Amino acid sequence: MTTALPGVATLQADFATALPELAVPWQAAATPSPRLLVLNEPLAAELGLAPERLGSAEGLGLLTGTEPPTGSTPVAQAYAGHQFGGFTKLGDGRALLLGELTDTAGNLRDVALKGSGRTPHARGGDGLAAVGPMLREYVVSEAMHALGIPTTRSLAVVATGRDVRRETVLPGAVLTRIASSHLRVGSFQYAQGIRDDDLLRRLADHAIARHYPEVASDPEPYLAFFRAVVAAQADLIARWMLVGFVHGVMNTDNMTISGETIDYGPCAFLDVFEPSTVFSSIDSGGRYAYANQPVAAEWNLARFAEALLPLFADDRERAVEIASEALASFRTEYDAAWSAGMLAKLGLAPAADAQGLAADVLDLLSASHVDHTTFWRHLGAAARGDAEPVRSLFLDLPAIDEWLGRWQALNPDADAMDRVNPLYIARNHLVEEALAAATDGDLGPVTQLVDAVRAPFTARPGLARFAEPAPDDFGQYQTFCGT
Ligand code: AMP
Ligand code: MG
């Protein structure tokens, strides 16, 4: 079934039709005075949507969910998940899936809203979102996309004109999220939780058709599907690690089947390279600390395997054996992706042995409290013959000089390094500054930051401050969930 909002968008309802058990038809809350804060024009073009129509009254009706295309039924998705290790029934508490749309490349993309009001899955929450956190998702997801990291995208943020009560009263907003789908490990855990093997199978078939159609013809399609998700996640997490991204809330409901990064809540980029870094205010045990992310991902994939067991074999013991063997590929795939990425960051040819070099320099970065992004970019300058900027970052000069000598002997390629080591990332102090200004009504800093991070590898005049580490007085950075 497809429905159209003439001139704005035509939507399908594939998920809601195929998996009605996971889709509660629901309506978005009214928005007193919707106002478009940001619109992602490059993304709109990819989706074949006209920016001026999205900004019209009908467009705002779509972007807030208050006037979905005639005949379309927004749905709140049901899912479960392990949150910090504990299993819970969840679902979209403040989100709605409007439907799917075919983009200009022919790919099906979900159009969903976040902050569109309470749903039957809202539990104690108010269903709302504030301007600051929604712009945060917009900025950081755009930065991730520009870095070449698979991610959900943000089409727009619309201020609702409604107040949201948090520690203080804040202006409310709705974000429109575009995803290759919202299927997640937690979707499968929902079917597992209600012991509905028929739903489980249909869900797996739906996910295969949508994301991994090539496995459908495999003699063991569900096992091949599991392996494909393991590979996609191993690659994704390696990319996070290489760029210094800390997701912050890697619960199983926040791990996609597509391999896209999802749920920009307490996420942040490393400033100083410190493996134990945690930004999230609620992650006191460091479960989702920077260095633990591969372990957390593997743990989540083990939960995914458990949910899929009935599809692997009728005999449970046999199914567990099959699953364990398949899960073992996570480490191999992760190590391969990380090592290849590290070689590229070091500017070295694939034949070079980067393992030791990488491990040694990461130790040096941590020991000298060096800014992660600055180090890699300055290392490019060192490959061009100017080692002073990079040397100036370290306390232990003999150690870095010894390391630089070993690395330079392998003839690093400076231009190749500049293509993978970003100059402009969504730095924490810049994000905070931009969000504070936007909450006070000034969107200028958000626009400038988005412009900077959209071309992260290309040095441009006038953007020096976007490449600088946080000022000393920025202090310990803390981020929050459920904002
Ligand atoms: P998250 O940590 O963002 O993945 O959210 C975990 C769960 O809490 C999801 O089911 C969300 O839909 C729900 N949730 C978060 N914030 C709110 C809110 N303000 N109102 C209702 N549900 C919420
Ligand atoms: Mg979530």
Side-chain angles (χ1 to χ4, degrees):
M1 187 177 65
T2 64
T3 51
L5 193 55
V8 182
T10 303
L11 297 180
Q12 293 171 226
D14 288 11
F15 174 83
T17 310
L19 301 158
E21 300 95 326
L22 300 181
V24 187
W26 203 252
Q27 269 191 329
T31 48
S33 50
R35 192 165 55 87
L36 188 62
L37 296 181
V38 280
L39 178 66
N40 192 334
E41 296 202 6
L43 178 59
E46 247 179 62
L47 299 173
L49 305 177
E52 61 285 0
R53 296 308 298 268
L54 286 172
S56 71
E58 289 155 298
L60 290 185
L62 176 84
L63 297 174
T64 54
T66 49
E67 282 177 57
T70 327
S72 97
T73 317
V75 296
Q77 294 185 264
Y79 48 85
H82 276 90
Q83 298 194 298
F84 290 90
F87 186 76
T88 325
K89 245 176 135 178
L90 296 158
D92 291 333
R94 56 166 171 175
L96 289 174
L97 174 65
L98 295 181
E100 304 92 8
L101 160 162
T102 305
D103 69 16
T104 52
N107 298 314
L108 207 58
R109 315 271 289 264
D110 274 11
V111 182
L113 306 177
K114 182 167 173 179
S116 47
R118 297 192 80 229
T119 77
H121 301 301
R123 298 175 290 164
D126 61 7
L128 304 176
V131 162
M134 294 307 97
L135 286 172
R136 188 182 162 76
E137 173 152 347
Y138 186 99
V139 172
V140 182
S141 60
E142 209 52 16
M144 293 287 272
H145 174 71
L147 290 165
I149 301 176
T151 178
T152 64
R153 306 278 305 275
S154 305
L155 178 61
V157 178
V158 177
T160 58
R162 181 203 277 230
D163 285 344
V164 179
R165 278 169 208 287
R166 295 291 179 260
E167 271 172 20
T168 55
V169 174
L170 297 167
V174 176
L175 171 107
T176 305
R177 179 195 279 161
I178 306 297
S180 70
S181 89
H182 283 78
L183 300 173
R184 56 194 95 209
V185 168
S187 312
F188 289 82
Q189 291 183 291
Y190 180 90
Q192 176 195 20
I194 59 169
R195 297 173 197 278
D196 186 339
D197 287 359
D198 169 64
L199 173 62
L200 183 68
R201 192 175 298 270
R202 278 189 291 117
L203 182 57
D205 290 340
H206 181 81
I208 289 171
R210 186 139 183 200
H211 297 296
Y212 304 101
E214 67 284 0
V215 311
S217 56
D218 193 281
E220 299 193 69
Y222 300 117
L223 186 59
F225 165 57
F226 177 65
R227 285 185 194 282
V229 176
V230 167
Q233 284 293 339
D235 183 72
L236 177 67
I237 308 299
R239 289 171 187 267
W240 289 359
M241 297 302 284
L242 291 163
V243 80
F245 178 75
V246 184
H247 182 281
V249 60
M250 289 177 69
N251 295 331
T252 55
D253 51 300
N254 291 336
M255 180 178 256
T256 58
I257 299 308
S258 64
E260 284 182 346
T261 309
I262 198 170
D263 216 325
Y264 290 89
C267 64
F269 288 92
L270 291 181
D271 285 307
V272 162
F273 181 80
E274 171 46 56
S276 65
T277 301
V278 172
F279 294 112
S280 170
S281 64
I282 59 167
D283 191 5
S284 49
R287 182 180 176 96
Y288 301 135
Y290 170 74
N292 272 354
Q293 295 186 117
V295 180
E298 191 182 33
W299 191 90
N300 289 349
L301 291 166
R303 305 291 78 75
F304 183 40
E306 278 168 8
L308 293 176
L309 285 180
L311 303 182
F312 292 159
D314 290 335
D315 176 60
R316 196 170 161 92
E317 252 176 61
R318 178 70 197 124
V320 170
E321 244 172 58
I322 293 171
S324 311
E325 202 186 300
L327 182 60
S329 66
F330 178 83
R331 288 187 187 207
T332 332
E333 305 245 12
Y334 172 81
D335 286 346
W338 186 85
S339 299
M342 206 27 105
L343 266 180
K345 288 179 85 64
L346 290 164
L348 302 180
D353 177 17
Q355 289 288 357
L357 269 179
D360 292 349
V361 83
L362 294 180
D363 284 345
L364 293 177
L365 290 181
S366 164
S368 285
H369 305 286
V370 175
D371 182 88
H372 185 245
T373 304
T374 305
F375 166 74
W376 287 106
R377 196 68 185 194
H378 281 2
L379 195 62
R384 289 196 175 83
D386 182 9
E388 274 326 297
V390 79
R391 292 181 80 239
S392 72
L393 301 172
F394 290 85
L395 304 171
D396 186 349
L397 279 179
I400 190 63
D401 284 341
E402 185 272 339
W403 185 89
L404 286 169
R406 278 198 282 147
W407 166 71
Q408 253 153 349
L410 298 172
N411 288 320
D413 177 341
D415 291 339
M417 292 173 74
D418 284 354
R419 289 194 290 271
V420 295
N421 294 319
L423 181 57
Y424 310 117
I425 58 164
R427 286 183 173 278
N428 303 322
H429 67 289
L430 298 173
V431 171
E432 288 308 311
E433 173 191 277
L435 300 190
T439 300
D440 289 341
D442 177 9
L443 285 158
V446 164
T447 309
Q448 287 158 18
L449 181 54
V450 169
D451 284 347
V453 300
R454 266 194 181 142
F457 304 109
T458 314
R460 282 158 286 158
L463 297 184
R465 69 183 291 268
F466 292 93
E468 275 161 22
D472 288 340
D473 63 3
F474 185 62
Q476 189 80 24
Y477 187 50
Q478 215 180 35
T479 56
F480 303 91
C481 291
T483 46

